[in-house]
Amino acid sequence: MEARRGWRAVPKVRQVGFFTPNEPPPPARTQSGPPDSNSPPLSNSPAGNSLSPVMIPPPRHLSDNLAHRATSPLPVPETSAFRRPIPGGDRVAVVGSYNPTDSMLGASPPLTSPSSRIGDGEFSEESSPGWFRRSNSAKFASSFPGGGFDLTSIKSSETLEVEVKKPVEVPGPNIAEKSGVAGAELQTESQSSSKPLKAKTTKAERRALQESQRAAKAAAKGEATGKPAISSEGAATSKPVKQQPSRKKDALPAATSVAASDRKGVDRPPEKERKKEVPPPRMQFDDKNRVEKAKKRAVVNQTEARNRVELFRHLPQYERGSQLPDLESKFFLLDPMHPAVYKVGLQYLAGDISGGNARCIAMLQAFQEVIKDYSTPPEKSLTRDLTAKVGSYVSFLIECRPLSMSMGNAIRFLKNRIAKLPLSLSESEAKESLCSDINRFINEKIVLADKVIVRHAASKVRDGDVLLTYGSSCVVEMILLYAHELGKQFRVVIVDSRPKLEGQALLRRLVAKGLNCTYTHINAVSYIMHEVTRVFLGASSVLSNGTVYSRVGTACVAMVAHAFRVPVLICCEAYKFHERVQLDSICSNELGDPDAIAKASGRMDVNYVDNLANKENLQLLNLMYDATPLEYISMIVTDYGMIPPTSVPVIVREYRREHLWI
Amino acid sequence: MADTLQNPNPNNISAYYQTRAAHHGVVTSDWLAQAQAAVGRHPDDVLPPEPEVKVAGKPFSVIHEFNNWRNQPDLAEAVAAIRALAAVIRNSEATTMMELEIELKKASDSLKSWDTTSISLTAGCDLFMRYVTRTSALEYEDFNSAKSRLIERAEKFGEISYKARRIIAMLSQDFIFDGCTILVHGFSRVVLEVLKTAAQNKKLFRVFCTEGRPDRTGLRLSNELAKLDVPVKLLIDSAVAYSMDEVDMVFVGADGVVESGGIINMMGTYQIALVAHSMDKPVYVAAESYKFARLYPLDQKDMAPALRPIDFGVPIPSKVEVETSARDYTPPQYLTLLFTDLGVLTPSVVSDELIQLYL
């Protein structure tokens, strides 16, 4: 313990900004972990905190909530100990003790069946803000009866290691948990948190395994990630925060493989203890350990991309090209995976399905198939087992492509429904009820909501208007077609951008219906904005502080429109609202294929960047989403009517209540 | 429904603003004549039969009732409508809840269509309907007890609306300090109540009144304030920016409060709010809660037009167009606070209240 405290004293810091990736690591922090010191070049300054700046310590009350749900036979004092957010020296020490191989999970109590954990995690998600979800589930996990897991031993780093190992052993649901993708839905997070906890049962062998691995790692790498992890642990501002990163790391392995030069990871082990209180954070992909571990559990073989921008190291990025053929070849080998889910995953990976609504509907329909084909294994309860299965499928989908917020909300809804099934129902009745619930969700929250939105928004289109839209949003397309059918006279300007060029498909469809369209790229948006009267934009999600999270480029268009005093209307269904608050586009985002921006298709003469991908000092960044602040938005059109962006938390509050009543 | 509810002034001329002008009591003779015509015309329109209101044939007309209330200049139009609707319930001969609700809906629609440009009328009727029917009284077995419960709620709503002005006046006292200068635009009875209460509380302040063309609201308001011994200074509408340095706060009323938190008020309010905002002066709006409407204008032209003929005193050549809109929209970012009977609110709370009421 003392040693761990020492570790805590040295904060782990991540360099942000431009720097050469090959700098020698700073002097090793004094950590008792693996000899390798700090993590790769990045996390070197001792002053910083390895935790992502956006981590927020979870509230204490979460533990109370979780306490109610705890079903674990664990001795009360221990569980309560875990609940305390800032524990005494022990817990702190554990958190601080950073042993990269040790663990992703803090000393969490024995893992119970994944399904229960996931279920509870889900509950906790619902009751608490996103950041806290993971810790909640972690907490839960800790309270579950474990395979003779000794809580006191958790505090030791060894235990942590054991925990880390466990996830590897437990397939399925664990994978789901581990593969929390940065920016993935909370749900994933809770799953990830629950995963590590499960692995407690074979703590001894895991510990041994970890130590050997650690030794191997130390030998293999000059700078072990362990060091950074340790230092970060030490530096943890708060335990929960630490737990979060560690959780994330766990999740990460499932999703990505850690490149050799991965940076510091967050210290997982110390956080395991905290996990119970802290909702698992999203998976941060800059911890090599976690990434390794997640990778072991991954269904999809992904190789991490090489030159990655430092600022976005916490997001997963893979090299494309190999994933799809790899998955396709494994089609008949993946036993636990349902073919419908596999198919949807492949479609995501290939980019055949894109757009929040389409992805959500495809996923829900795949889950309907899963439920129809599901039969409860003997000795298991339907709710728990099904929740576990759903969790594992979700983790697979995350590996294919990180979840969008709409999908996250839908998954949370589904898990909620599964959990609320009355025990008296027979299996077939339960399955039928779930299928009809899914149908109702799709119908009410998406299909009918779109109709209401279209009606409201079309009333804002007047004759003589010039409407501008960016990219391709299915709702905006519906609005334009409906207004056209109503006979309104207007022009449309479609702004598009590389590399996806989604606007071209929209252009084709609109022109086919007879609308007057203009097409331009985003670099001309300020040129064309003076003649525009209204801007209609879609959204992937709207956050509680009114920030609109949408396709990258939307913020630009909204800003230019604001400068020209053109009203900006966001059209978004209410199920995409989220209570999270995001201040920038960095802390949570999705990284696309960097090669897509390097190559300009069809133009051989301008492919200058093509061969430079392997250069050390060139880093390619292909962001998928960005955050538009609420000052640029005039109105949000939802199925609840037209609301100002400041009223989003009101809708989240009301909607959430209704959601729980369903 | 159409025959009874003709807006006495077709061609989009807003009866609401005509009536308000009538209430202001004006100076020039032709103005007076116009006002007389406006006031005098309304009772005539009321006489046609009211089939949509009463099925049983009892001669009860909601419009008639409404006009009875409305002819008192002190009463807000929406309050008059609310009281008329309450009277509908009281005099209703329906025997089932559904029938009563349908009757109420018809009466409300007839009132609303009487003047479609009056936002507070529409909003007041809508809110009344929501408030009254959104109660568990409707589940009572006994129709009579349910009906009496409805009447009770209706009268309570009427009372609240009637007393709203006094509540608002009380709430705004804290914001008027000794030695302050208040700029007022338009003749709002709520703002007048606020200033009256402040004067009665022996606060020392002075008031700048804009002239308020074409209705000359400033003249009337300055008249009233002079009676209260409050120092008043009249400004022409163009002198607002010139005098804004000396002003400590701007007080306006509202014809309607829209969902974004902005207000629709007499023409000129937007201008004054812009000037005040650029000079960092707070803009306070005094509005009753029944004025919260489910509208969301994106710009000035996004509202139903409400026109009011302007008398320039000299004949205008026919080729010259005149902007006759009687009102404008002030977006929420230029407003500081709203004083309502629900409390002192920021503009973003309006949507919160509306969502809670309507969802």
Side-chain angles (χ1 to χ4, degrees), chain B residues 50-296:
Chain B
E50 54 287 304
E52 75 284 352
V53 176
K54 240 4 207 169
V55 181
K58 197 162 112 190
F60 174 80
S61 158
V62 67
I63 300 286
H64 184 76
E65 190 81 19
F66 174 58
N67 274 297
N68 284 343
W69 289 111
R70 202 179 49 80
N71 283 334
Q72 312 167 34
D74 250 357
L75 200 58
E77 219 172 31
V79 180
I82 287 165
R83 293 215 158 151
L85 288 175
V88 165
I89 302 181
R90 225 178 300 122
N91 297 330
S92 154
E93 285 181 355
T95 48
T96 65
M97 196 47 67
M98 199 64 204
E99 208 181 326
L100 180 59
E101 273 186 61
I102 293 177
E103 231 179 81
L104 206 50
K105 179 114 188 3
K106 269 199 227 157
S108 160
D109 286 344
S110 73
L111 275 180
K112 282 195 277 190
S113 55
W114 179 83
D115 183 3
T116 51
T117 61
S118 170
I119 297 178
S120 61
L121 183 59
T122 313
C125 290
D126 280 342
L127 281 171
F128 177 84
M129 296 295 295
R130 291 291 306 184
Y131 187 78
V132 161
T133 57
R134 201 183 178 214
T135 153
S136 56
L138 303 182
E139 280 135 44
Y140 289 173
E141 292 286 338
D142 181 13
F143 174 71
N144 283 326
S145 67
K147 183 175 166 183
S148 62
R149 181 123 162 80
L150 277 188
I151 292 176
E152 198 185 304
R153 282 181 78 86
E155 308 217 317
K156 183 160 156 230
F157 194 65
E159 275 300 300
I160 293 177
S161 311
Y162 188 65
K163 293 209 183 110
R165 280 191 207 151
R166 242 166 289 160
I167 298 175
I168 293 172
M170 240 173 32
L171 286 172
S172 40
Q173 291 312 301
D174 283 336
F175 290 82
I176 301 177
F177 51 88
D178 277 337
C180 70
T181 304
I182 304 179
L183 176 68
V184 181
H185 180 70
F187 184 70
S188 162
R189 290 163 286 195
V190 188
V191 175
L192 184 58
E193 183 87 20
V194 169
L195 297 175
K196 256 195 215 164
T197 317
Q200 282 162 7
N201 289 345
K202 305 278 185 276
K203 294 219 173 162
L204 301 170
F205 58 97
R206 65 180 176 148
V207 177
F208 286 2
C209 281
T210 55
E211 188 193 359
R213 295 214 64 218
D215 296 332
R216 312 210 195 157
T217 56
L219 302 178
R220 162 79 175 211
L221 184 63
S222 52
N223 226 351
E224 297 289 327
L225 287 174
K227 288 187 207 158
L228 298 171
D229 287 331
V230 173
V232 182
K233 185 161 164 184
L234 262 182
L235 312 168
I236 53 171
D237 296 329
S238 343
V240 167
Y242 174 83
S243 324
M244 191 56 83
D245 279 335
E246 308 174 330
V247 166
D248 291 311
M249 62 184 85
V250 178
F251 249 102
V252 291
D255 289 334
V257 180
V258 295
E259 192 147 10
S260 60
I263 57 167
I264 296 182
N265 199 18
M266 173 172 156
M267 180 64 80
T269 311
Y270 183 35
Q271 210 157 283
I272 293 179
L274 273 172
V275 174
H277 186 256
S278 72
M279 295 197 185
D280 292 319
K281 309 286 180 186
V283 177
Y284 298 131
V285 176
E288 301 94 318
S289 62
Y290 57 76
K291 288 180 176 162
F292 288 9
R294 289 219 91 179
L295 299 171
Y296 204 129

Side-chain angles (χ1 to χ4, degrees), chain A residues 460-467 487-492 531-534:
Chain A
K460 288 295 176 191
V461 178
R462 307 161 299 187
D463 285 337
D465 264 347
V466 178
L467 310 178
K488 307 209 178 185
Q489 303 297 318
F490 59 93
R491 277 201 303 133
V492 178
E531 42 184 66
V532 173
T533 57
R534 301 256 194 273

Side-chain angles (χ1 to χ4, degrees), chain A residues 19 47 162 219 222 327 354 397-398 418 421 508 551 554 591 601 641:
Chain A
F19 63 92
V162 174
L327 265 190
S354 86
L397 291 179
I398 291 173
I418 295 177
L421 284 176
R508 251 183 262 277
R551 178 68 69 220
T554 308
L591 294 180
S601 62

